[in-house]
Amino acid sequence: MQQGVDSRAMLTVFLTNMPRLFLLAVAGAMMGSGLSLITALIASQNACYVSETKYYIEFDEERYKARDYYNAFTWNEAIRGDEILGRAMERLGAGYDRRQVEKMITAAILSDVRYLTVTVRGQDADRVETVKEALAAALEEFGMIKREFDSIYKIKDEEIELEEIPYFGWRAAVLGAAIAVGIGSFVTAFRFCQGSVFYTKQDIAARLAIPVYGMTLQPEGRGAQKSALARRQAELLEGGLRMLTEQYGEIVLVDASDGQEALAFVANITERGLNNSECFRVYDRKADTSVIQDTAFVAVIPFGRTYREKITDEIQYVQLRGGRVVGAVLVQAQTWWMRFYYAQGRS
């Protein structure tokens, strides 16, 4: 049966993972900024020299349709034609290839059709200067011979400069941080919703359909007073184990870590005086070869570890041999995690 998502547990997982997500954000920001810097450095090695020349176009007053015809697209076609580029190539001579020169030039009408901006871009500053001058002469000649124009002439001639390669460091850092946090959040949510990790007693009861007799908490540190949460959970665990010992003469503990979690749990409850008459023992699959028909088993499940599939296999193995898994205990729960969880209203 599909179980619902414990939204409080999910929120607690995200809250307790905030430091990790913050570190991911820092790493993502550094990676994004670094990649942006590398890209800018690579691009700077192939930086071109750029020259912009602005022209003013005087249209023939009797030919108004020419204003509609000569737009940005038309000028890019016209400036590469024989009437402009062809004449410019005559001035440039045999040392210049027409196809290469075509790639160097761009024409643009920014707003007003009377203002034409011609950009020349190339790897060599002298060649850019030569192409610009030849193109200017051809363009002005084009304005004199075409009936649509009265004239075309320069109004602004920018100096040739090495193009500036933009470095979007902050943008790349923010984007890298956002991607890293997004991936981290997705992985956290996916891992939680998958249900292979147990965080609460409710998780165990819902996923494995067995009662939970209590849980143990990790030590809070030397000299620290026992919190109300720790005292309450200790009382619940004591009551749960008392019920088990009253119902069954012997309780066998099973885990999916070759008995390590079960042995630690036995040591814990023995130290606290809860293992009355040594009622609890750890199941050893190799040593316990005898029939375990009707023996009561309790699954020992560690907090915050991928464990559902592993413990399910152990439970099924016990059940196939005739044993009864009567419940489970959650062990080594993080005290501060549980404080977050119960502070949201659970009890």
Side-chain angles (χ1 to χ4, degrees):
M1 182 177 66
Q2 182 67 32
Q3 302 294 337
V5 174
D6 188 341
S7 58
R8 294 182 185 275
M10 176 178 278
L11 177 59
T12 305
V13 168
F14 274 102
L15 288 174
T16 54
N17 274 277
M18 288 299 290
R20 188 175 300 174
L21 293 176
F22 175 76
L23 292 176
L24 278 175
V26 172
M30 294 176 62
M31 185 176 294
S33 181
L35 288 175
S36 178
L37 177 60
I38 292 172
T39 303
L41 290 174
I42 293 173
S44 65
Q45 295 177 354
N46 300 316
C48 295
Y49 289 93
V50 179
S51 173
E52 283 190 358
T53 306
K54 291 182 172 57
Y55 296 88
Y56 184 79
I57 304 170
E58 288 187 348
F59 289 93
D60 188 327
E61 293 295 335
E62 297 181 358
R63 299 179 184 275
Y64 293 104
K65 291 184 179 180
R67 295 171 180 262
D68 298 327
Y69 176 76
Y70 283 96
N71 51 40
F73 176 80
T74 309
W75 273 115
N76 270 291
E77 292 296 318
I79 206 168
R80 289 174 170 80
D82 290 335
E83 292 179 300
I84 300 178
L85 183 58
R87 292 183 180 275
M89 294 303 300
E90 294 175 3
R91 291 179 170 82
L92 291 172
Y96 289 79
D97 181 77
R98 178 163 178 165
R99 287 177 297 180
Q100 291 181 351
V101 175
E102 282 185 6
K103 295 177 181 178
M104 293 173 65
I105 59 177
T106 306
I109 298 291
L110 300 181
S111 56
D112 194 327
V113 294
R114 294 173 298 177
Y115 295 93
L116 172 66
T117 302
V118 177
T119 303
V120 181
R121 180 181 283 103
Q123 296 287 334
D124 184 85
D126 293 334
R127 293 178 72 86
V128 170
E129 177 71 25
T130 305
V131 170
K132 180 185 75 169
E133 295 300 331
L135 200 61
L139 193 57
E140 290 175 355
E141 186 179 340
F142 179 76
M144 290 186 291
I145 64 176
K146 296 294 285 186
R147 292 180 297 174
E148 293 93 332
F149 312 104
D150 286 337
S151 64
I152 300 176
Y153 57 88
K154 292 181 187 178
I155 57 173
K156 190 174 183 181
D157 193 1
E158 301 283 353
E159 293 184 4
I160 298 175
E161 295 180 349
L162 188 65
E163 67 179 339
E164 184 178 347
I165 304 299
Y167 170 56
F168 303 104
W170 283 107
R171 296 182 188 177
V174 172
L175 180 61
I179 292 175
V181 170
I183 293 174
S185 299
F186 174 79
V187 171
T188 301
F190 179 79
R191 187 166 178 261
F192 179 86
C193 293
Q194 195 178 25
S196 296
V197 180
F198 294 105
Y199 293 103
T200 66
K201 294 182 286 186
Q202 289 84 352
D203 281 344
I204 298 173
R207 304 288 177 183
L208 301 180
I210 54 178
V212 182
Y213 287 95
M215 69 175 175
T216 65
L217 299 174
Q218 293 178 355
E220 297 188 56
R222 294 180 180 179
Q225 292 185 349
K226 209 169 189 180
S227 64
L229 173 65
R231 290 195 299 271
R232 176 58 178 162
Q233 293 304 322
E235 292 173 2
L236 292 174
L237 177 63
E238 182 178 357
L241 297 183
R242 186 183 302 112
M243 285 189 293
L244 277 172
T245 55
E246 289 174 355
Q247 294 178 39
Y248 310 100
E250 182 184 52
I251 299 98
V252 182
L253 303 175
V254 60
D255 62 19
S257 57
D258 295 325
Q260 294 181 10
E261 298 295 342
L263 285 170
F265 176 71
V266 169
N268 184 296
I269 61 175
T270 301
E271 182 182 354
R272 293 157 63 175
L274 302 179
N275 190 5
N276 298 328
S277 303
E278 297 183 352
C279 294
F280 297 91
R281 70 178 181 88
V282 178
Y283 178 61
D284 187 340
R285 184 185 296 181
K286 296 179 181 179
D288 292 350
T289 56
S290 60
V291 177
I292 59 173
Q293 190 76 24
D294 294 329
T295 302
F297 283 82
V298 171
V300 180
I301 301 175
F303 169 91
R305 284 166 49 186
T306 303
Y307 216 73
R308 184 180 66 174
E309 289 74 20
K310 298 175 183 178
I311 196 64
T312 299
D313 287 344
E314 298 296 329
I315 290 173
Q316 289 177 346
Y317 179 81
V318 166
Q319 290 174 335
L320 286 173
R321 296 195 61 197
R324 292 185 299 147
V325 180
V326 297
V329 289
L330 180 65
V331 297
Q332 291 297 307
Q334 294 175 346
T335 304
W336 50 272
W337 195 101
M338 288 299 172
R339 284 176 178 171
F340 273 124
Y341 181 74
Y342 284 103
Q344 296 175 70
R346 284 292 182 98
S347 58

